[in-house]
Amino acid sequence: MAKRDPTAVATTFVVAMPKPANHLYEIEMEVAPFSRAVAAFDLCLPVWTPGSYFVRDHARHVRELVVTGPSGEPLPVTKTEKSRWRVSTGPRGARGPFRATYRVYAFELTVRTSHLDASHGYGNGACLFLYVDGRKDEPQRLRFRLPKGWKASVALPRRGEEYLAADYDELVDSPFECGTHRTFRFRVRGVPHTLALWGEGNEEPGRLVHDLSRLVEAAAGLFGGLPYERYLFLVHLAEGARGGLEHRASQSCGVGPWKFRPEAAYREVLGLLSHELFHAWNVKRIRPANLGPFDYSREAYVRDLWALEGMTSYYEHVLLLRAGLEEPKHAFEAWAKDVKGHRDSPGHRVQSAEESSFDAWIRLYRPDENSPNVSESYYRRGALVGLALDLAIRGGTRGRRSLDDVVLELWRRWGARGRPYPDGAWEAAVAKVGGAAVAGFFDRYVRGVETPPFESLFPRAGLLFREKAAKEEGNGGDGVVVAARADLGWKTKTEGGRLLVAEVYEGRAASGAGVSAGDEVVALDGVRAGEDQLKRIARDLSPGQTLRLHLFRLGRLVEVPVVLGCRRAFDFEIVPDPGASQEARAVFEGWLGSRFPAG
Ligand SMILES: [Zn+2]
């Protein structure tokens, strides 16, 4: 990143929101002069938001772009691509400065987009700020023209009324929040942090600040310091808000307003904040060349999102554990659920962690009814690979080395030096740290579609990984344990009172009988279909029995006999092994930072 020089020539943006209820940002862009006269130049808007691997074509929300020359004369503007405008400066050319004004419709409340209404203005640079093609590496400045009583929060350094970005990447990487939101300041290791809260629910800001301080301290402890000069936790509390997005010196998170109680829900909130914080290292600094500087004009393909996202999902628990914000049993529950979901998903046998990463743009971010059959989330699979690697390395080195050493190797070698890592860096770091303990790991679990052998990995840390009977829903009371149940192998949904087939899983009963997603189920064995009937079938019928389905398919009634399959109902659990060896107990304690449970 270029050095931040407040006197340098910079392109300046002024963001105004005179009528926020209309959802229109009004933007003025002062394009700093070119080094020599140009006959034309291109203004572009990113097609995607870094951190979210999906082409969003933000340009569809841009309107009324007008560009003027050095003496205020209007210049011809021609659109040459969906996100590119060519500005002609006249037959003799001109150096500038040029001035562009435009408006942007901002009414999508996600962390990857922008949202302006009467209560606030959230802005994501990728949706709002044009760049001059070929000049993204120059300094950029940002000013706000705010409605009365509003303030701005953004992670950029401030000089007077201006915020300074070293280059376009930093500008786009610094989402802003404008409005009357609450801000809370705290320091960790002398570095200023701000928590900005928009909206309200059952949050306790004092507790949140306390817990975030411990979380940041845990991360600083792992990496030996903090990589940023300031940090902003930007949290939206709103109905339907969810997800987070990482930045180098901030994070944006959407959280349901009532998610702060009970404790289990609050732990999920902390998990999200922990995840995005860990990204300040992993993804934002430990990164491949495609993830900074960015090509905003097209997809950035990455083969190791399973590591960048998955390891981060694994470490979101590790940080919470080290910060004392989660107990081991909570992490065990989450991991047991992940393994179950992973092994249950038909797609895990089809798509490897590496393939899932590369195809994020057309798979994870564009799910459809067939996704479960052909894909597996690189978040979940990557987190399980991280967990397995940590256990294998710790077990294989008697607790002397761990996944921490792998992450630190990548941090010291690449991230801390501001350099992107080359292809194969994760595998090389794992091999260097884990040696023989992790031989063949990438071939099997990263490039291959095998699942790590948790049954033999958890005992390395004194833990048993085993099946337990699942609690069955819909059987009355608090659940009846069944060893096997009749299975249709589909997922249904009810829409407008109609029971529809949502997903059909390959290799199971409904798929074998030729049932399709989209079929409307009208009768089961001659009885009007409904969720209650499905529960009754699961309870009363046995595997191997035939069920008569009446379906509407494209408006025609069809009858399909389905031979019910068999599904064992169980969950996994991870519990301390009373018979664990001293060595395994020591691995447990080194790993989780807490004493091996007595008894
Ligand atoms: Zn993430």
Side-chain angles (χ1 to χ4, degrees):
M1 188 175 288
K3 253 206 142 25
R4 209 176 274 120
D5 173 7
T7 64
V9 173
T11 288
T12 302
F13 291 89
V14 181
V15 177
M17 45 209 94
K19 289 184 187 163
N22 291 355
H23 322 303
L24 287 171
Y25 281 110
E26 301 197 351
I27 298 180
E28 292 172 26
M29 177 190 189
E30 284 285 339
V31 178
F34 285 78
S35 54
R36 57 190 172 81
V38 293
F41 62 92
D42 284 357
L43 292 173
C44 307
L45 195 69
V47 303
W48 64 290
T49 303
S52 179
Y53 305 96
F54 181 68
V55 171
R56 292 176 192 278
D57 290 327
H58 299 301
R60 67 206 156 97
H61 295 308
V62 172
R63 53 196 273 192
E64 297 145 333
L65 173 65
V66 173
V67 184
T68 53
S71 33
E73 74 283 15
L75 299 174
V77 178
T78 312
K79 237 185 142 176
T80 57
E81 288 175 18
K82 62 182 178 179
S83 302
R84 178 181 292 266
W85 295 259
R86 181 148 302 158
V87 181
S88 305
T89 65
R92 281 174 296 151
R95 283 188 61 216
F98 303 98
R99 184 167 179 272
T101 60
Y102 54 99
R103 298 205 283 175
V104 181
Y105 178 72
F107 194 44
E108 192 179 353
L109 183 59
T110 77
V111 292
R112 310 88 172 235
T113 50
S114 292
H115 187 257
L116 176 64
D117 71 6
S119 72
H120 84 145
Y122 171 67
N124 227 310
C127 321
L128 299 178
F129 301 130
L130 297 169
Y131 60 89
V132 180
D133 196 15
R135 294 177 58 183
K136 289 205 308 287
D137 53 350
E138 295 179 8
Q140 315 276 317
R141 290 183 206 149
L142 175 61
R143 283 205 301 272
F144 294 101
R145 213 170 281 149
L146 296 171
K148 199 165 184 296
W150 282 26
K151 65 180 172 188
S153 294
V154 58
L156 291 169
R158 187 172 178 172
R159 189 194 56 181
E161 290 305 297
E162 275 187 343
Y163 295 91
L164 311 177
D167 52 25
Y168 182 79
D169 277 356
E170 191 181 31
L171 179 71
V172 163
D173 193 40
S174 308
F176 61 77
E177 177 72 21
C178 297
T180 57
H181 54 281
R182 293 166 289 164
T183 50
F184 306 88
R185 293 172 211 290
F186 58 99
R187 283 179 181 267
V188 180
R189 299 196 177 196
V191 176
H193 291 69
T194 302
L195 167 65
L197 290 176
W198 171 67
E200 48 190 284
N202 58 358
E203 77 285 1
E204 296 171 48
R207 181 182 181 194
L208 195 51
V209 164
H210 173 261
D211 292 349
L212 289 178
S213 306
R214 286 164 66 173
L215 196 59
V216 174
E217 180 54 44
L222 166 57
F223 288 100
L226 294 169
Y228 43 71
E229 293 163 24
R230 70 197 70 73
Y231 193 86
L232 172 65
F233 290 92
L234 210 169
V235 181
H236 289 160
L237 306 178
E239 207 59 58
R242 56 188 293 272
L245 193 65
E246 67 276 10
H247 303 283
R248 282 175 69 90
S250 60
Q251 61 173 264
S252 299
C253 288
V255 175
W258 313 108
K259 281 277 288 175
F260 295 80
R261 280 199 291 274
E263 289 301 299
Y266 180 56
R267 276 196 302 275
E268 279 182 32
V269 174
L270 289 178
L272 176 63
L273 297 163
S274 172
H275 179 103
E276 305 308 336
L277 177 69
F278 193 77
H279 272 320
W281 288 269
N282 193 29
V283 161
K284 295 314 297 185
R285 290 175 173 83
I286 299 172
R287 66 182 202 282
N290 269 1
L291 295 188
F294 295 96
D295 180 348
Y296 297 98
S297 70
R298 47 164 296 178
E299 293 87 345
Y301 296 103
V302 182
R303 284 182 207 283
D304 42 21
L305 283 178
W306 65 268
L308 297 166
E309 285 299 347
M311 298 281 187
T312 301
S313 288
Y314 171 60
Y315 268 97
E316 82 186 43
H317 287 291
V318 173
L319 292 188
L320 289 178
L321 288 163
R322 289 181 189 167
L325 299 171
E326 182 174 89
E327 291 173 42
K329 67 176 181 190
H330 300 131
F332 296 164
E333 277 168 21
W335 291 330
K337 202 168 151 219
D338 275 354
V339 178
K340 182 70 164 68
H342 171 72
R343 291 189 183 172
D344 277 352
S345 82
H348 88 271
R349 298 177 203 284
V350 177
Q351 191 186 45
S352 71
E354 207 169 85
E355 289 166 339
S356 173
S357 302
F358 191 86
D359 273 347
W361 300 84
I362 56 168
R363 303 282 193 121
L364 189 83
Y365 278 88
R366 286 172 66 182
D368 59 34
E369 75 287 346
N370 195 41
S371 297
N373 289 319
V374 291
S375 56
E376 162 69 330
S377 159
Y378 50 80
Y379 283 85
R380 182 167 65 193
R381 187 168 215 141
L384 294 178
V385 167
L387 170 63
L389 270 175
D390 209 2
L391 286 166
I393 295 171
R394 287 176 189 272
T397 62
R398 293 170 171 257
R400 286 195 308 276
R401 313 296 304 272
S402 73
L403 191 62
D404 286 0
D405 297 301
V406 173
V407 174
L408 281 171
E409 163 75 13
L410 289 159
W411 169 242
R412 291 185 185 128
R413 183 130 188 234
W414 307 105
R417 296 181 188 181
R419 302 206 320 239
Y421 64 68
D423 283 351
W426 279 95
E427 187 166 11
V430 164
K432 184 173 171 183
V433 170
V438 291
F441 204 94
F442 274 63
D443 281 336
R444 299 175 75 171
Y445 311 122
V446 175
R447 287 181 287 271
V449 293
E450 289 181 56
T451 296
F454 289 105
E455 286 79 354
S456 62
L457 283 168
F458 275 107
R460 314 294 291 267
L463 294 164
L464 298 170
F465 177 82
R466 63 189 182 193
E467 293 180 7
K468 67 168 182 181
K471 281 193 174 177
E472 286 292 283
E473 281 176 23
N475 284 332
D478 58 355
V480 177
V481 169
V482 290
R485 62 175 174 176
D487 173 56
L488 276 150
W490 69 11
K491 186 167 129 187
T492 57
K493 62 181 175 184
T494 302
E495 267 179 22
R498 302 189 310 159
L499 185 68
L500 300 170
V501 180
E503 294 170 357
V504 177
Y505 305 123
E506 274 180 26
R508 287 164 63 184
S511 168
V515 176
S516 293
D519 287 348
E520 177 187 351
V521 188
V522 289
L524 303 158
D525 272 347
V527 178
R528 183 196 298 275
E531 300 287 354
D532 284 354
Q533 286 301 321
L534 287 177
K535 283 179 188 158
R536 185 186 63 76
I537 285 163
R539 189 182 61 225
D540 293 352
L541 297 193
S542 305
Q545 283 187 272
T546 300
L547 179 73
R548 232 165 6 105
L549 284 183
H550 281 94
L551 309 165
F552 272 126
R553 179 177 296 158
L554 302 175
R556 294 256 171 203
L557 187 68
V558 289
E559 184 180 337
V560 179
V562 181
V563 179
L564 292 169
C566 174
R567 198 133 197 270
R568 291 173 53 242
F570 68 92
D571 291 323
F572 288 119
E573 68 175 355
I574 300 162
V575 289
D577 177 3
S581 67
Q582 280 311 315
E583 185 183 315
R585 286 166 189 247
V587 168
F588 177 101
E589 293 181 359
W591 176 34
L592 300 170
S594 57
R595 289 199 59 77
F596 193 84

Short mmCIF file of all heavy atoms in Angstrom, two decimals, residues 322 389-405 433 437 460-461 582-592:
data_model
loop_
_atom_site.label_atom_id
_atom_site.label_comp_id
_atom_site.label_asym_id
_atom_site.label_seq_id
_atom_site.Cartn_x
_atom_site.Cartn_y
_atom_site.Cartn_z
N ARG A 322 -10.02 -18.90 23.88
CA ARG A 322 -8.86 -18.29 24.53
C ARG A 322 -9.25 -17.02 25.28
O ARG A 322 -8.59 -16.64 26.23
CB ARG A 322 -7.78 -17.99 23.50
CG ARG A 322 -7.15 -19.28 23.01
CD ARG A 322 -6.05 -19.05 22.00
NE ARG A 322 -5.67 -20.34 21.45
CZ ARG A 322 -4.92 -20.49 20.37
NH1 ARG A 322 -4.47 -19.43 19.73
NH2 ARG A 322 -4.62 -21.70 19.94
N LEU A 389 -6.49 -30.60 11.02
CA LEU A 389 -5.06 -30.28 10.94
C LEU A 389 -4.50 -29.96 12.32
O LEU A 389 -3.41 -30.43 12.69
CB LEU A 389 -4.84 -29.07 10.04
CG LEU A 389 -4.61 -29.32 8.56
CD1 LEU A 389 -4.55 -27.99 7.82
CD2 LEU A 389 -3.32 -30.12 8.34
N ASP A 390 -5.24 -29.17 13.07
CA ASP A 390 -4.77 -28.79 14.40
C ASP A 390 -4.60 -30.03 15.27
O ASP A 390 -3.57 -30.21 15.95
CB ASP A 390 -5.77 -27.80 15.03
CG ASP A 390 -5.11 -26.84 16.01
OD1 ASP A 390 -3.86 -26.92 16.18
OD2 ASP A 390 -5.81 -26.02 16.61
N LEU A 391 -5.61 -30.92 15.24
CA LEU A 391 -5.53 -32.15 16.04
C LEU A 391 -4.38 -33.04 15.57
O LEU A 391 -3.65 -33.60 16.38
CB LEU A 391 -6.86 -32.91 15.95
CG LEU A 391 -8.02 -32.29 16.74
CD1 LEU A 391 -9.34 -32.93 16.30
CD2 LEU A 391 -7.82 -32.47 18.24
N ALA A 392 -4.22 -33.15 14.25
CA ALA A 392 -3.17 -34.02 13.71
C ALA A 392 -1.78 -33.49 14.07
O ALA A 392 -0.88 -34.25 14.45
CB ALA A 392 -3.32 -34.15 12.19
N ILE A 393 -1.60 -32.19 13.95
CA ILE A 393 -0.29 -31.60 14.25
C ILE A 393 0.00 -31.69 15.75
O ILE A 393 1.07 -32.11 16.17
CB ILE A 393 -0.22 -30.13 13.77
CG1 ILE A 393 -0.33 -30.06 12.24
CG2 ILE A 393 1.09 -29.49 14.22
CD1 ILE A 393 -0.49 -28.64 11.68
N ARG A 394 -0.97 -31.31 16.56
CA ARG A 394 -0.77 -31.37 18.02
C ARG A 394 -0.52 -32.80 18.47
O ARG A 394 0.39 -33.07 19.26
CB ARG A 394 -1.98 -30.78 18.76
CG ARG A 394 -2.07 -29.26 18.66
CD ARG A 394 -3.35 -28.73 19.32
NE ARG A 394 -3.54 -27.32 19.05
CZ ARG A 394 -3.03 -26.31 19.77
NH1 ARG A 394 -2.29 -26.58 20.84
NH2 ARG A 394 -3.23 -25.07 19.44
N GLY A 395 -1.35 -33.73 17.94
CA GLY A 395 -1.19 -35.13 18.32
C GLY A 395 0.14 -35.69 17.86
O GLY A 395 0.80 -36.45 18.58
N GLY A 396 0.54 -35.30 16.65
CA GLY A 396 1.75 -35.87 16.06
C GLY A 396 3.04 -35.26 16.58
O GLY A 396 4.12 -35.79 16.33
N THR A 397 2.93 -34.13 17.28
CA THR A 397 4.15 -33.48 17.80
C THR A 397 4.11 -33.39 19.34
O THR A 397 4.79 -32.57 19.92
CB THR A 397 4.31 -32.05 17.23
OG1 THR A 397 3.18 -31.25 17.65
CG2 THR A 397 4.38 -32.05 15.71
N ARG A 398 3.28 -34.24 19.95
CA ARG A 398 3.10 -34.24 21.41
C ARG A 398 2.77 -32.84 21.93
O ARG A 398 3.24 -32.42 22.99
CB ARG A 398 4.36 -34.75 22.11
CG ARG A 398 4.63 -36.22 21.84
CD ARG A 398 5.99 -36.64 22.33
NE ARG A 398 6.13 -38.09 22.25
CZ ARG A 398 6.04 -38.89 23.30
NH1 ARG A 398 5.80 -38.42 24.50
NH2 ARG A 398 6.18 -40.20 23.14
N GLY A 399 2.02 -32.13 21.13
CA GLY A 399 1.57 -30.80 21.57
C GLY A 399 2.59 -29.70 21.40
O GLY A 399 2.34 -28.56 21.80
N ARG A 400 3.73 -30.00 20.78
CA ARG A 400 4.76 -28.94 20.63
C ARG A 400 4.42 -27.96 19.52
O ARG A 400 4.77 -26.80 19.59
CB ARG A 400 6.12 -29.58 20.36
CG ARG A 400 6.78 -30.23 21.56
CD ARG A 400 8.26 -30.49 21.31
NE ARG A 400 8.47 -31.22 20.07
CZ ARG A 400 8.38 -32.55 19.95
NH1 ARG A 400 8.10 -33.30 21.00
NH2 ARG A 400 8.58 -33.12 18.80
N ARG A 401 3.79 -28.44 18.47
CA ARG A 401 3.41 -27.56 17.37
C ARG A 401 1.90 -27.61 17.17
O ARG A 401 1.24 -28.52 17.66
CB ARG A 401 4.09 -28.00 16.05
CG ARG A 401 5.56 -28.30 16.12
CD ARG A 401 6.44 -27.11 16.47
NE ARG A 401 6.33 -25.94 15.63
CZ ARG A 401 7.02 -25.71 14.51
NH1 ARG A 401 7.84 -26.62 14.04
NH2 ARG A 401 6.90 -24.58 13.86
N SER A 402 1.41 -26.65 16.41
CA SER A 402 -0.05 -26.60 16.22
C SER A 402 -0.38 -25.82 14.95
O SER A 402 0.52 -25.30 14.27
CB SER A 402 -0.72 -25.94 17.41
OG SER A 402 -0.47 -24.54 17.37
N LEU A 403 -1.66 -25.71 14.68
CA LEU A 403 -2.11 -24.91 13.54
C LEU A 403 -1.71 -23.44 13.72
O LEU A 403 -1.49 -22.72 12.75
CB LEU A 403 -3.64 -25.03 13.37
CG LEU A 403 -4.24 -24.48 12.08
CD1 LEU A 403 -3.69 -25.20 10.85
CD2 LEU A 403 -5.76 -24.59 12.10
N ASP A 404 -1.60 -22.99 14.98
CA ASP A 404 -1.11 -21.62 15.23
C ASP A 404 0.21 -21.39 14.50
O ASP A 404 0.44 -20.32 13.94
CB ASP A 404 -0.85 -21.39 16.73
CG ASP A 404 -2.14 -21.23 17.52
OD1 ASP A 404 -3.22 -21.29 16.91
OD2 ASP A 404 -2.04 -21.07 18.75
N ASP A 405 1.09 -22.40 14.56
CA ASP A 405 2.40 -22.24 13.92
C ASP A 405 2.28 -22.12 12.40
O ASP A 405 3.09 -21.43 11.76
CB ASP A 405 3.32 -23.42 14.30
CG ASP A 405 3.57 -23.46 15.79
OD1 ASP A 405 4.11 -22.47 16.33
OD2 ASP A 405 3.22 -24.47 16.42
N VAL A 433 5.41 -27.23 9.26
CA VAL A 433 5.07 -27.31 10.69
C VAL A 433 4.72 -28.74 11.09
O VAL A 433 5.17 -29.23 12.13
CB VAL A 433 3.90 -26.35 11.03
CG1 VAL A 433 3.39 -26.60 12.44
CG2 VAL A 433 4.32 -24.91 10.84
N ALA A 437 3.28 -35.86 10.35
CA ALA A 437 1.96 -35.96 10.98
C ALA A 437 0.84 -35.60 10.03
O ALA A 437 -0.32 -35.95 10.26
CB ALA A 437 1.90 -35.05 12.22
N ARG A 460 -6.54 -37.95 20.15
CA ARG A 460 -5.21 -37.37 20.33
C ARG A 460 -5.24 -36.29 21.41
O ARG A 460 -4.23 -35.96 22.01
CB ARG A 460 -4.70 -36.74 19.02
CG ARG A 460 -4.87 -37.59 17.77
CD ARG A 460 -4.05 -38.85 17.77
NE ARG A 460 -2.62 -38.65 17.67
CZ ARG A 460 -1.93 -38.67 16.53
NH1 ARG A 460 -2.55 -38.81 15.38
NH2 ARG A 460 -0.62 -38.55 16.55
N ALA A 461 -6.43 -35.69 21.60
CA ALA A 461 -6.59 -34.65 22.63
C ALA A 461 -7.46 -35.15 23.78
O ALA A 461 -8.10 -34.36 24.48
CB ALA A 461 -7.20 -33.39 22.02
N GLN A 582 -2.02 -39.36 29.87
CA GLN A 582 -1.46 -38.08 30.33
C GLN A 582 -1.07 -37.22 29.14
O GLN A 582 -1.27 -36.01 29.13
CB GLN A 582 -0.25 -38.33 31.24
CG GLN A 582 -0.62 -38.69 32.68
CD GLN A 582 -1.66 -37.74 33.29
OE1 GLN A 582 -1.57 -36.52 33.17
NE2 GLN A 582 -2.67 -38.30 33.94
N GLU A 583 -0.50 -37.88 28.13
CA GLU A 583 -0.06 -37.13 26.95
C GLU A 583 -1.24 -36.47 26.25
O GLU A 583 -1.19 -35.29 25.88
CB GLU A 583 0.66 -38.08 25.99
CG GLU A 583 1.26 -37.36 24.79
CD GLU A 583 1.92 -38.34 23.81
OE1 GLU A 583 2.64 -39.23 24.28
OE2 GLU A 583 1.69 -38.20 22.60
N ALA A 584 -2.33 -37.23 26.10
CA ALA A 584 -3.51 -36.69 25.43
C ALA A 584 -4.12 -35.55 26.26
O ALA A 584 -4.59 -34.55 25.71
CB ALA A 584 -4.54 -37.79 25.21
N ARG A 585 -4.09 -35.72 27.58
CA ARG A 585 -4.63 -34.65 28.44
C ARG A 585 -3.80 -33.37 28.29
O ARG A 585 -4.34 -32.27 28.29
CB ARG A 585 -4.60 -35.09 29.91
CG ARG A 585 -5.68 -36.12 30.23
CD ARG A 585 -5.44 -36.80 31.58
NE ARG A 585 -6.37 -37.90 31.72
CZ ARG A 585 -7.35 -37.94 32.62
NH1 ARG A 585 -7.52 -36.96 33.48
NH2 ARG A 585 -8.17 -38.97 32.67
N ALA A 586 -2.51 -33.56 28.15
CA ALA A 586 -1.64 -32.38 27.98
C ALA A 586 -1.93 -31.69 26.65
O ALA A 586 -1.93 -30.46 26.55
CB ALA A 586 -0.17 -32.79 28.06
N VAL A 587 -2.19 -32.48 25.60
CA VAL A 587 -2.55 -31.89 24.30
C VAL A 587 -3.85 -31.10 24.43
O VAL A 587 -3.96 -29.98 23.95
CB VAL A 587 -2.68 -33.00 23.22
CG1 VAL A 587 -3.34 -32.44 21.96
CG2 VAL A 587 -1.31 -33.59 22.89
N PHE A 588 -4.82 -31.68 25.12
CA PHE A 588 -6.10 -31.00 25.37
C PHE A 588 -5.85 -29.63 26.02
O PHE A 588 -6.38 -28.61 25.58
CB PHE A 588 -6.97 -31.86 26.29
CG PHE A 588 -8.30 -31.25 26.70
CD1 PHE A 588 -9.48 -31.62 26.09
CD2 PHE A 588 -8.37 -30.29 27.72
CE1 PHE A 588 -10.71 -31.07 26.46
CE2 PHE A 588 -9.59 -29.72 28.10
CZ PHE A 588 -10.76 -30.12 27.47
N GLU A 589 -5.06 -29.63 27.08
CA GLU A 589 -4.86 -28.39 27.85
C GLU A 589 -4.09 -27.36 27.05
O GLU A 589 -4.39 -26.16 27.10
CB GLU A 589 -4.19 -28.72 29.19
CG GLU A 589 -5.14 -29.54 30.06
CD GLU A 589 -4.60 -29.92 31.44
OE1 GLU A 589 -3.43 -29.55 31.73
OE2 GLU A 589 -5.33 -30.58 32.19
N GLY A 590 -3.11 -27.81 26.28
CA GLY A 590 -2.37 -26.88 25.43
C GLY A 590 -3.24 -26.29 24.33
O GLY A 590 -3.09 -25.13 23.95
N TRP A 591 -4.17 -27.10 23.87
CA TRP A 591 -5.04 -26.70 22.76
C TRP A 591 -6.13 -25.73 23.22
O TRP A 591 -6.31 -24.66 22.64
CB TRP A 591 -5.67 -27.97 22.17
CG TRP A 591 -6.67 -27.78 21.08
CD1 TRP A 591 -6.68 -26.82 20.11
CD2 TRP A 591 -7.82 -28.60 20.83
NE1 TRP A 591 -7.76 -27.00 19.27
CE2 TRP A 591 -8.47 -28.08 19.69
CE3 TRP A 591 -8.35 -29.75 21.43
CZ2 TRP A 591 -9.64 -28.65 19.16
CZ3 TRP A 591 -9.50 -30.31 20.90
CH2 TRP A 591 -10.13 -29.77 19.78
N LEU A 592 -6.84 -26.12 24.28
CA LEU A 592 -8.04 -25.37 24.67
C LEU A 592 -7.79 -24.39 25.80
O LEU A 592 -8.65 -23.59 26.14
CB LEU A 592 -9.16 -26.34 25.05
CG LEU A 592 -9.56 -27.28 23.89
CD1 LEU A 592 -10.48 -28.37 24.37
CD2 LEU A 592 -10.22 -26.48 22.76
#
